[in-house]
Amino acid sequence: MGISILVSVLMFVVGACLGSFANVLIYRVPRGLSIVTPPSACPGCGTPIKPYDNIPVLSYLILRGRCRSCGCRISPVYILVELAMGMMFVAVFARYGFRWDAMLPLAFFMVGVTLTVAVIDLKEMIIPNAIIVPSLAAAVIYVAVTAAIRHDPRLLLDQGAGLLIGAVPLGLIALLYPKGMGMGDAKLMAFTGTVLAWKVLPALFLGFLLGSLAAAVPLVTGRKGWKDRIPFGPFLVLGCWLSLFWGDRIISLYRSFLRA
Ligand SMILES: [Zn+2]
């Protein structure tokens, strides 16, 4: 019991620190800025942020969401990303960590990349190639190397199927109906499909379900017109997260329905 609390705290700290790095990517990648230099500065007054003011979650609370130099408000998105990444890391470890699973590093990687991409898509309506393409390449290499080391061709087939199921249908929709779906969404699902394998099917189903529900809300309430585009990426990401945790159960439930 004591050990699992300790591990959870450790996972939260690691996740929150990576969330802090995700915030750098979220701000800089869509603007085409270097992610290494210059060091982080206040967007209001340009004062470089001191290391002791750059502690994930804590600094935001201590400074009450304001810059120490000029007092301008710092977006709550920063602390929300750090909290979400910390909590997702705790959840991934709780689900996959205690029995060692070769897919565990990929699960952490998927959570980190998809949270970053979802926030960028919400803010900028784009899924940057600079993040999703190298992430897809890294996932494919990891799967290929793991399959080779474990002499496990089945792994290649399963994760390869996930990649294709994620990429091909959304890629076709993006080609035929570019207003509704971007190629970024197809690349996102190619990446998560490589991680989720067959669990990409419930991920797509849940993503489409949540996205359609969200798209229907403004139509029902009449607050927004048809033309207001909502980004689809964040809903796909939610579907992927749900499937990462419960996809196996959804698939076996579906199979038992077919048998009945
Ligand atoms: Zn400032």
Side-chain angles (χ1 to χ4, degrees), residues 6 23-24 38 43 79 99 104 124 133 146 161 184 187 217 232 246 259:
L6 198 70
N23 279 321
V24 175
I79 187 172
R99 53 178 176 82
L104 179 68
E124 321 279 346
V133 173
T146 308
K187 290 171 203 162
V217 167
F232 205 56
W246 295 291
R259 273 196 296 273

Side-chain angles (χ1 to χ4, degrees), residues 105-150:
L106 269 188
F108 282 120
F109 187 53
M110 186 187 97
V111 163
V113 170
T114 51
L115 177 60
T116 308
V117 161
V119 177
I120 293 177
D121 200 18
L122 273 176
K123 291 174 81 173
E124 321 279 346
M125 302 286 275
I126 191 168
I127 294 175
N129 275 331
I131 294 178
I132 202 67
V133 173
S135 300
L136 171 60
V140 168
I141 291 168
Y142 180 88
V143 166
V145 170
T146 308
I149 291 172
R150 294 162 85 194

Side-chain angles (χ1 to χ4, degrees), residues 197-208:
W198 296 99
K199 293 201 288 278
V200 74
L201 286 167
L204 281 169
F205 172 75
L206 292 166
F208 272 93

Side-chain angles (χ1 to χ4, degrees), residues 141-189:
I141 291 168
Y142 180 88
V143 166
V145 170
T146 308
I149 291 172
R150 294 162 85 194
H151 305 288
D152 186 359
R154 180 69 194 270
L155 187 72
L156 272 186
L157 287 176
D158 286 345
Q159 313 306 119
L163 192 163
L164 291 176
I165 295 167
V168 175
L170 294 198
L172 285 175
I173 297 173
L175 278 177
L176 298 171
Y177 181 56
K179 275 186 184 170
M181 180 89 51
M183 273 299 167
D185 295 318
K187 290 171 203 162
L188 169 66
M189 291 310 294

Side-chain angles (χ1 to χ4, degrees), residues 42 45 67 70 72:
C42 165
C45 64
C67 166
C70 70
C72 71

Side-chain angles (χ1 to χ4, degrees), residues 110 165 170 181 189 192 196 198-215 231-251 253-254:
M110 186 187 97
I165 295 167
L170 294 198
M181 180 89 51
M189 291 310 294
T192 58
L196 294 170
W198 296 99
K199 293 201 288 278
V200 74
L201 286 167
L204 281 169
F205 172 75
L206 292 166
F208 272 93
L209 187 69
L210 294 170
S212 329
L213 287 175
F232 205 56
F235 298 102
L236 291 172
V237 166
L238 276 180
C240 292
W241 289 2
L242 292 171
S243 193
L244 179 65
F245 294 102
W246 295 291
D248 287 331
R249 273 186 225 175
I250 296 170
I251 289 173
L253 203 68
Y254 180 73

